[in-house]
Amino acid sequence: MEIDIVIENLKDMLINRGDNIDEFEEHEAEIEREDFFNDNNAINFHTSHTAIIFALTKNLRSSILEDLKKNMTNIEGFVKKYNGKYNIILILNNDILTTPSITALSIIDKILQKKGGILQYFHMNELLFNPTKHILVPPHRKLNADEIKVIMEKYMIDGKLHLPLILHNDRIAQWIGLKRGDIIEITRYNENSGKSYYYRCCV
């Protein structure tokens, strides 16, 4: 089933971000696959850092989006419902979102980012393949604050925006969970010159 592929790739994504997925796996094992497509309840899980909400029917998607919009000025109310996690991933059906919904999700993402979190949404078909496992995609790694400081000093870079850029909606940026201002290290290998490292700033 597609849902099994989605869940496995989602686990890979979360592990790649440094999440502990033990509770996710325990909860997931108890849920029948058809329950993910039940209109009555949105299935949700949490990891050490992230709340994952499945809204795979039109009614569930509308309900979750309305709940988010209602809590836009009091995001704490929404966060408390989902284990107090400020990192939120929505898994949606494959229907195209309306422009007002995309705008609202973008605003809520900015609100959560101010609190150190992030709001992301993925359609089912976007999680049927793990892009980091593609043979043509080199390893990408988000740098921490100390590593960024070292890189900036080593290469005498005055500001992050002087680095090559990667868009926040780039497929790999989304997979890693990059926020604007984050810097990633890309490791490339050449048979003649060996390993080389490239750095990009998320915008």
Side-chain angles (χ1 to χ4, degrees):
M1 287 180 71
E2 284 190 350
I3 188 67
D4 291 304
I5 298 171
V6 167
I7 289 171
E8 288 309 308
N9 284 331
L10 186 56
K11 288 179 188 176
D12 284 346
M13 176 197 291
L14 293 164
I15 290 168
N16 183 262
R17 297 181 183 192
D19 271 333
N20 181 320
I21 64 167
D22 289 349
E23 288 187 67
F24 181 139
E25 291 188 309
E26 286 175 23
H27 189 188
E28 176 242 328
E30 300 167 355
I31 296 176
E32 298 295 331
R33 290 305 183 247
E34 55 266 25
D35 290 344
F36 283 93
F37 303 93
N38 188 324
D39 252 349
N40 299 326
N41 248 337
I43 301 293
N44 69 88
F45 304 100
H46 68 274
T47 67
S48 53
H49 300 110
T50 309
I52 304 103
I53 305 165
F54 284 80
L56 300 181
T57 69
K58 287 184 179 179
N59 288 341
L60 282 178
R61 185 183 69 176
S62 297
S63 173
I64 293 293
L65 291 177
E66 282 306 309
D67 198 14
L68 273 166
K69 289 173 188 175
K70 278 192 297 186
N71 285 284
M72 198 177 288
T73 55
N74 178 29
I75 200 63
E76 303 290 343
F78 186 87
V79 167
K80 282 180 183 176
K81 293 181 187 178
Y82 297 99
N83 301 293
K85 308 294 183 183
Y86 286 99
N87 293 330
I88 299 172
I89 295 177
L90 301 179
I91 312 298
L92 307 174
N93 57 21
N94 293 326
D95 294 334
I96 296 171
L97 288 175
T98 62
T99 300
S101 292
I102 292 171
T103 301
L105 289 172
S106 178
I107 292 169
I108 296 161
D109 176 38
K110 288 175 183 173
I111 293 169
L112 286 171
Q113 286 197 29
K114 287 180 181 175
K115 297 177 178 292
I118 190 173
L119 172 67
Q120 290 183 288
Y121 64 90
F122 293 90
H123 292 98
M124 281 269 288
N125 57 14
E126 293 177 304
L127 292 174
L128 291 175
F129 178 72
N130 180 343
T132 64
K133 291 184 176 179
H134 193 285
I135 192 170
L136 296 178
V137 177
H140 289 62
R141 184 177 69 87
K142 183 167 79 170
L143 301 183
N144 61 38
D146 290 338
E147 289 173 318
I148 290 172
K149 186 178 178 182
V150 169
I151 292 301
M152 301 292 274
E153 290 176 356
K154 179 179 178 180
Y155 295 105
M156 294 180 287
I157 300 168
D158 294 331
K160 291 180 179 180
L161 293 180
H162 291 168
L163 287 165
L165 306 177
I166 183 170
L167 297 177
H168 72 281
N169 58 359
D170 177 274
R171 189 81 172 88
I172 295 295
Q174 288 180 315
W175 191 270
I176 297 172
L178 294 184
K179 304 173 189 175
R180 290 177 175 87
D182 283 342
I183 293 177
I184 56 165
E185 176 185 80
I186 303 167
T187 305
R188 293 196 173 117
Y189 180 79
N190 181 285
E191 288 185 7
N192 297 319
S193 56
K195 276 187 182 180
S196 57
Y197 300 96
Y198 298 81
Y199 301 93
R200 293 180 183 271
C201 177
C202 182
V203 293

